[in-house]
Amino acid sequence: MIYTVTFNPAIDYVVRTDGPFVPGQVNRSAQEDYQFGGKGINVSLMLARLDCPSVALGFVAGATGSWLEQGLQAQGLHSDWIHLPGGMTRINVKIKAQTESELNGRGPDITPEAMEQLYAKLDALREGDILVLAGSLPGGLPSNTYRRILDRLAGRGIRAAVDTAGEALAAVLPARPFLIKPNHCELTALAGRPLTTQTEIEAAARDLQQQGARNVLVSMAGDGALLVDETGAVHRMGCPQGRVVNSVGAGDSMLAGFLAGWLQSGDYACALRLGTACGSATAFSLGLADRAGIDRLLRTLQHDA
C-alpha cells in the first residue's frame, strides 16, 4: 500500500482573468474554480486515476478542513485525517492572468499531541509499503521532521519517497530514502551552484545519491526529466509536445506516475516514462490530468529521450 502524508493541505481558489492582473486596483475574474490540494493529496488523487490504491494521511482543521475532507471523500479518496483542535485548513489563492501569482495561506498549528497521533498511524505501516512525504513543513515544526519520521521507520522495509526542498530535503538524505524528487530549481539550491547543462544536473543528482538517496528523480519542466537510479544508471525523458496551461500539481503527478509505474513494472525506465506522461498531462490540463490524457501522451514517449 502507498501512504501519502500532507502536513498542510489546502483548498486552492483558482481565479482566471481575461487581462493582466493589476496590483492596487480592483480586478475582476473571468472564471473561478476550487481544488482540494496539497502535494500528498495530489499524489493520492493521481494514483487513484492510475488504479493504484493509496491512503492519504495528514491534518485538517475547522470548517475549511471539513469541506476538504468531504470533497475528497466525494472523489473516492481513501483518507485517515487527524483533526486539529484549533485554526483552519488554509486557502491558497491562485491568480492566473498573463502571469501566475499565488497567495498561500499559513495553515493551522500542529500540536505535539497531533504529531503523536500521526506517529501511531505510521507505526502501523508494514514491510513493502511506500510512504510519500511531500510538501513544505508548516510553521512550528522543525526542519528535520521528515528525518525523524524516517528514523522511526528505519529497518522495517518501508520505502520512503520524499518531495520537499531546502533543509528538510537535505536532512533526510542520510536516512537513505528510496526516492527523492527535486525539481531543477530545488536541485540548484541544494548544489549551491548554477546547473545549466545535463551533465551538471546529473552530477548534482549523483551528489545527493552519494549523500544517501537511493534514487534521484529531477523534474525539469519543458526539458523533461532525469533519473539517476540506485544501480547508477541514468535515464532521461524528454517532454512531450503540448501547451502548458497549469503548473499546479504537475510535479506531484510525476511522482505518482513514477511510483505507480515502478510498482507495476519494477523497471525504472518504465516508471520514468509513466511519471513524465502524468506530469506533462497535468501541465497541459486545467487541473490534475485524467487517464485518457495520460494514456495519449504515454504513447508518444520513448525511453531515454
Side-chain angles (χ1 to χ4, degrees):
M1 178 63 74
I2 298 178
Y3 294 83
T4 66
V5 178
T6 306
F7 275 83
N8 207 5
I11 298 170
D12 289 344
Y13 176 56
V14 184
V15 180
R16 293 178 171 83
T17 66
D18 287 333
F21 177 79
V22 183
Q25 296 187 17
V26 174
N27 295 265
R28 300 192 182 280
S29 67
Q31 183 181 356
E32 301 166 22
D33 194 11
Y34 64 87
Q35 300 166 359
F36 302 114
K39 293 182 71 64
I41 290 171
N42 290 339
V43 171
S44 279
L45 288 171
M46 181 55 67
L47 286 170
R49 296 175 192 192
L50 298 171
D51 299 319
C52 188
S54 71
V55 178
L57 305 174
F59 304 90
V60 294
T64 49
S66 298
W67 182 20
L68 180 138
E69 187 174 9
Q70 294 166 9
L72 292 174
Q73 185 177 15
Q75 296 181 48
L77 189 68
H78 186 191
S79 59
D80 187 10
W81 302 108
I82 296 165
H83 296 85
L84 297 172
M88 58 180 278
T89 293
R90 61 187 176 143
I91 296 176
N92 297 334
V93 180
K94 313 288 185 179
I95 301 172
K96 297 182 181 293
Q98 290 180 335
T99 58
E100 290 189 8
S101 301
E102 300 185 7
L103 178 60
N104 290 344
R106 180 183 182 275
D109 292 328
I110 298 175
T111 63
E113 293 78 13
M115 280 300 299
E116 288 302 319
Q117 292 181 58
L118 176 63
Y119 289 141
K121 294 180 187 296
L122 296 179
D123 285 343
L125 269 61
R126 302 177 180 178
E127 182 176 359
D129 286 339
I130 293 176
L131 175 64
V132 177
L133 301 173
S136 59
L137 293 164
L141 290 182
S143 61
N144 67 344
T145 297
Y146 286 163
R147 172 64 185 276
R148 290 180 177 179
I149 290 173
L150 297 195
D151 287 345
R152 186 183 184 101
L153 300 178
R156 294 178 48 193
I158 297 166
R159 297 180 177 90
V162 182
D163 184 5
T164 189
E167 293 181 9
L169 179 56
V172 303
L173 296 176
R176 292 191 53 77
F178 170 71
L179 175 72
I180 60 171
K181 197 210 73 61
N183 61 33
H184 186 183
C185 293
E186 292 162 349
L187 183 65
T188 298
L190 277 180
R193 63 183 186 276
L195 304 174
T196 58
T197 68
Q198 290 279 328
T199 300
E200 292 170 343
I201 293 170
E202 178 185 333
R206 289 193 183 279
D207 285 344
L208 299 186
Q209 199 174 48
Q210 290 172 1
Q211 294 177 52
R214 290 170 55 186
N215 299 282
V216 182
L217 172 60
V218 185
S219 56
M220 301 180 292
D223 293 325
L226 178 146
L227 170 70
V228 180
D229 75 28
E230 59 188 329
T231 71
V234 178
H235 310 269
R236 296 180 177 84
M237 188 68 63
C239 185
Q241 292 185 345
R243 185 172 70 91
V244 175
V245 296
N246 169 50
S247 61
V248 177
D252 309 324
S253 297
M254 172 177 280
L255 177 57
F258 181 92
L259 292 174
W262 184 79
L263 284 173
Q264 292 164 6
S265 68
D267 182 88
Y268 286 122
C270 290
L272 179 60
R273 182 168 170 258
L274 182 56
T276 302
C278 291
S280 298
T282 288
F284 301 158
S285 305
L286 291 178
L288 292 180
D290 59 23
R291 184 62 180 267
I294 294 166
D295 290 342
R296 185 168 56 251
L297 290 185
L298 191 61
R299 290 191 291 269
T300 72
L301 290 172
Q302 301 295 322
H303 296 305
D304 297 324

